[in-house]
Amino acid sequence: MMANIIDGKAVSLGIKEKLKERVESVREEGERVPCLAVIIVGDNPASRSYVRGKLKAVEFTGMESRLLELPEDVSEEKLLQLIGCFNENSDVDGILVQLPLPRHINEDRVIDAILPRKDVDGFHPQNVANLWLGRKCFVPCTPQGIIKLIESTGENIEGKRAVVVGRSNIVGKPVAKLLLDRNATVTVAHSRTPDLKAVTREADILVAAVGRPGVITGDMIKPGAIVIDVGINRTDDGHLTGDVDFASASEVAGWITPVPGGVGPMTIAMLMENTYSAWCAISDR
Ligand code: GUN
């Protein structure tokens, strides 16, 4: 039996279309529409491609954007100063600094400089703390998108065994918290987990966020499981491939996300939602 495909592109399109309607009515009322400021440093091709995707989505939804492209050798001081300008600019609702940054720049200091109420990535320590305390906050985009994809299957998260492979601050840790909030029994596995297969085979929901191509194979999956592939790995011939070996996994899983067309588009849709909600908070809506 072949797994059902979770169509992240279709789900994300639905979300963006709803936002587009809301932004249109804001515009019709003659009000300022939501605006996202994006900062990119250097010319990492993957980062450039992600930023292009984000700006395209801003345009699709009818929101505004500001793009700041800085050279690879920009000083940390200069970058912090420019973030300060966006913080103070009342026409800017959300600020996103594309990661990773060049090695001479301290990423923590950059994230700390973003006003928490404009931190649409949800990376600022204040948002991270509020997430773990169960308070209102910006939820990081990829984890939020993963939850929506799981919910799109119509299956209940409550009571399920969820295994997250990977423990990054951007994906592994926050998605584990979101699954816990929905009453899954959550395990976080990682590169030092002995007998990873024994752990993943217990998963009704398996989230693969390792960053290495094809490490999750069909024999590591519980029959019927929901498999979410967060990996975006570029192969030698320039194609994108996930952390899950799709061919073998799709013969065992009940549901599976493709790469591309799974988690990636959802991350962008959630960024649009966060930008809209930043605007709502600023505009007293
Ligand atoms: N680099 C990889 N993922 C992300 C993300 O979600 N946001 C930003 N700003 N940079 C990233």
Side-chain angles (χ1 to χ4, degrees):
M1 259 283 279
M2 171 78 183
N4 295 294
I5 306 293
I6 305 176
D7 188 345
K9 220 173 155 186
V11 178
S12 71
L13 182 61
I15 292 166
K16 287 187 293 181
E17 279 172 341
K18 278 204 196 94
L19 277 172
K20 182 187 164 96
E21 281 177 23
R22 288 201 245 165
V23 174
E24 259 164 23
S25 55
V26 171
R27 206 180 277 281
E28 279 161 14
E29 289 165 28
E31 291 206 49
R32 185 184 68 79
V33 300
C35 174
L36 174 67
V38 176
I39 303 176
I40 182 166
V41 181
D43 44 30
N44 177 321
S47 290
R48 296 219 149 250
S49 149
Y50 297 147
V51 165
R52 237 180 293 124
K54 291 169 186 180
L55 295 175
K56 230 177 88 184
V58 170
E59 193 176 341
F60 178 91
T61 54
M63 298 192 248
E64 303 275 340
S65 66
R66 303 281 177 87
L67 173 62
L68 195 49
E69 297 176 270
L70 300 171
E72 184 83 19
D73 63 356
V74 70
S75 70
E76 183 182 297
E77 191 189 3
K78 182 75 190 169
L79 177 56
L80 295 176
Q81 182 206 324
L82 291 164
I83 291 169
C85 293
F86 283 140
N87 282 341
E88 284 169 27
N89 187 338
S90 56
D91 288 340
V92 170
D93 304 286
I95 303 170
L96 179 148
V97 180
Q98 187 63 34
L99 303 178
L101 291 167
R103 278 180 36 203
H104 68 278
I105 297 174
N106 182 316
E107 241 164 51
D108 288 347
R109 275 204 282 270
V110 170
I111 291 167
D112 292 357
I114 299 169
L115 259 186
R117 67 176 165 82
K118 297 193 178 190
D119 171 37
V120 286
D121 262 331
F123 293 167
H124 189 284
Q126 187 176 308
N127 282 312
V128 176
N130 285 339
L131 177 73
W132 284 91
L133 291 167
R135 301 191 195 182
K136 194 170 157 19
C137 63
F138 281 113
V139 178
C141 304
T142 302
Q144 208 182 337
I146 290 168
I147 296 297
K148 295 237 167 157
L149 286 180
I150 296 168
E151 288 173 347
S152 80
T153 66
E155 305 232 17
N156 242 326
I157 294 175
E158 180 157 333
K160 295 260 183 356
R161 290 198 155 245
V163 174
V164 178
V165 189
R167 49 176 155 177
S168 69
N169 290 331
I170 294 185
V171 183
K173 281 189 262 184
V175 82
K177 173 62 165 86
L178 296 181
L179 289 162
L180 190 55
D181 288 344
R182 286 156 184 81
N183 302 317
T185 302
V186 183
T187 300
V188 181
H190 47 77
S191 54
R192 305 273 185 105
T193 300
D195 199 0
L196 178 62
K197 194 206 288 198
V199 178
T200 58
R201 282 187 63 90
E202 295 283 310
D204 304 306
I205 298 169
L206 180 60
V207 178
V210 191
R212 267 188 294 138
V215 293
I216 305 296
T217 46
D219 59 318
M220 300 169 76
I221 294 168
K222 179 176 178 176
I226 300 173
V227 177
I228 307 292
D229 188 352
V230 190
I232 306 181
N233 309 290
R234 211 165 286 272
T235 60
D236 293 334
D237 60 351
H239 286 92
L240 291 183
T241 185
D243 293 346
V244 176
D245 176 50
F246 189 86
S248 61
S250 59
E251 285 178 16
V252 186
W255 295 88
I256 189 166
T257 61
V259 177
V263 173
M266 288 302 289
T267 296
I268 295 181
M270 295 303 101
L271 176 64
M272 298 305 105
E273 286 207 332
N274 282 354
T275 303
Y276 184 78
S277 84
W279 175 89
C280 288
I282 287 171
S283 320
D284 270 329
R285 293 255 181 157

Short mmCIF file of all heavy atoms in Angstrom, two decimals, residues 47 50 54 96-100 121 123 141-142 170 267, ligand 1:
data_model
loop_
_atom_site.label_atom_id
_atom_site.label_comp_id
_atom_site.label_asym_id
_atom_site.label_seq_id
_atom_site.Cartn_x
_atom_site.Cartn_y
_atom_site.Cartn_z
N SER A 47 20.05 30.59 0.82
CA SER A 47 19.40 31.70 1.51
C SER A 47 18.70 32.63 0.52
O SER A 47 17.58 33.09 0.77
CB SER A 47 20.41 32.50 2.33
OG SER A 47 20.85 31.75 3.44
N TYR A 50 15.48 31.01 -0.54
CA TYR A 50 14.43 31.09 0.49
C TYR A 50 13.84 32.49 0.55
O TYR A 50 12.61 32.67 0.64
CB TYR A 50 15.00 30.73 1.87
CG TYR A 50 15.51 29.31 2.00
CD1 TYR A 50 16.59 29.01 2.81
CD2 TYR A 50 14.91 28.26 1.30
CE1 TYR A 50 17.07 27.71 2.93
CE2 TYR A 50 15.39 26.97 1.42
CZ TYR A 50 16.47 26.69 2.23
OH TYR A 50 16.94 25.42 2.36
N LYS A 54 9.97 33.85 0.06
CA LYS A 54 9.25 34.61 1.08
C LYS A 54 8.68 35.90 0.49
O LYS A 54 7.53 36.26 0.74
CB LYS A 54 10.18 34.90 2.27
CG LYS A 54 10.54 33.63 3.06
CD LYS A 54 11.66 33.81 4.07
CE LYS A 54 12.01 32.45 4.70
NZ LYS A 54 13.09 32.53 5.71
N LEU A 96 12.60 39.92 9.58
CA LEU A 96 13.22 38.60 9.44
C LEU A 96 14.65 38.76 8.95
O LEU A 96 14.89 39.40 7.94
CB LEU A 96 12.41 37.77 8.43
CG LEU A 96 12.90 36.36 8.13
CD1 LEU A 96 11.73 35.46 7.83
CD2 LEU A 96 13.89 36.33 6.97
N VAL A 97 15.58 38.21 9.72
CA VAL A 97 16.99 38.17 9.28
C VAL A 97 17.26 36.74 8.83
O VAL A 97 17.17 35.80 9.64
CB VAL A 97 17.96 38.57 10.41
CG1 VAL A 97 19.39 38.51 9.92
CG2 VAL A 97 17.62 39.95 10.94
N GLN A 98 17.53 36.57 7.55
CA GLN A 98 17.75 35.22 7.03
C GLN A 98 19.02 34.61 7.63
O GLN A 98 20.07 35.25 7.63
CB GLN A 98 17.82 35.24 5.50
CG GLN A 98 17.87 33.87 4.85
CD GLN A 98 16.63 33.02 5.10
OE1 GLN A 98 15.51 33.53 5.19
NE2 GLN A 98 16.82 31.72 5.24
N LEU A 99 18.92 33.41 8.14
CA LEU A 99 20.06 32.69 8.72
C LEU A 99 20.52 31.61 7.74
O LEU A 99 19.72 31.17 6.92
CB LEU A 99 19.65 32.07 10.05
CG LEU A 99 19.10 33.04 11.12
CD1 LEU A 99 18.69 32.26 12.36
CD2 LEU A 99 20.11 34.11 11.46
N PRO A 100 21.73 31.14 7.76
CA PRO A 100 22.80 31.54 8.68
C PRO A 100 23.46 32.85 8.28
O PRO A 100 23.34 33.29 7.14
CB PRO A 100 23.79 30.39 8.54
CG PRO A 100 23.61 29.89 7.15
CD PRO A 100 22.15 30.08 6.84
N ASP A 121 9.83 35.33 13.09
CA ASP A 121 10.45 34.00 13.08
C ASP A 121 10.25 33.28 14.42
O ASP A 121 10.40 32.06 14.50
CB ASP A 121 11.96 34.13 12.84
CG ASP A 121 12.36 33.88 11.39
OD1 ASP A 121 11.65 33.12 10.71
OD2 ASP A 121 13.38 34.45 10.95
N PHE A 123 12.25 33.61 17.03
CA PHE A 123 13.58 33.17 17.48
C PHE A 123 14.08 33.94 18.70
O PHE A 123 15.04 33.53 19.34
CB PHE A 123 14.62 33.32 16.35
CG PHE A 123 14.41 32.41 15.17
CD1 PHE A 123 15.12 32.63 13.98
CD2 PHE A 123 13.54 31.32 15.24
CE1 PHE A 123 14.95 31.78 12.89
CE2 PHE A 123 13.38 30.47 14.14
CZ PHE A 123 14.08 30.70 12.96
N CYS A 141 8.01 29.37 12.41
CA CYS A 141 7.20 29.05 11.23
C CYS A 141 7.22 27.58 10.83
O CYS A 141 6.15 27.00 10.55
CB CYS A 141 7.66 29.90 10.05
SG CYS A 141 7.63 31.67 10.40
N THR A 142 8.39 26.97 10.79
CA THR A 142 8.45 25.57 10.34
C THR A 142 7.70 24.64 11.30
O THR A 142 6.86 23.85 10.84
CB THR A 142 9.91 25.13 10.12
OG1 THR A 142 10.50 26.00 9.15
CG2 THR A 142 9.99 23.70 9.62
N ILE A 170 15.47 25.85 15.84
CA ILE A 170 14.53 26.31 14.82
C ILE A 170 13.41 25.29 14.58
O ILE A 170 12.27 25.66 14.35
CB ILE A 170 15.28 26.63 13.50
CG1 ILE A 170 16.22 27.82 13.68
CG2 ILE A 170 14.31 26.88 12.35
CD1 ILE A 170 16.90 28.30 12.41
N THR A 267 6.23 26.59 5.75
CA THR A 267 7.04 27.55 6.51
C THR A 267 6.73 28.96 6.04
O THR A 267 6.52 29.88 6.84
CB THR A 267 8.55 27.24 6.31
OG1 THR A 267 8.83 25.95 6.86
CG2 THR A 267 9.42 28.29 6.99
N1 GUN B 1 17.26 29.68 7.97
C1 GUN B 1 16.73 28.44 7.94
N2 GUN B 1 15.45 28.47 8.36
C2 GUN B 1 15.19 29.74 8.66
C3 GUN B 1 14.01 30.42 9.13
O1 GUN B 1 12.96 29.83 9.39
N3 GUN B 1 14.13 31.75 9.30
C4 GUN B 1 15.27 32.42 9.06
N4 GUN B 1 15.28 33.72 9.27
N5 GUN B 1 16.36 31.84 8.63
C5 GUN B 1 16.31 30.51 8.42
#
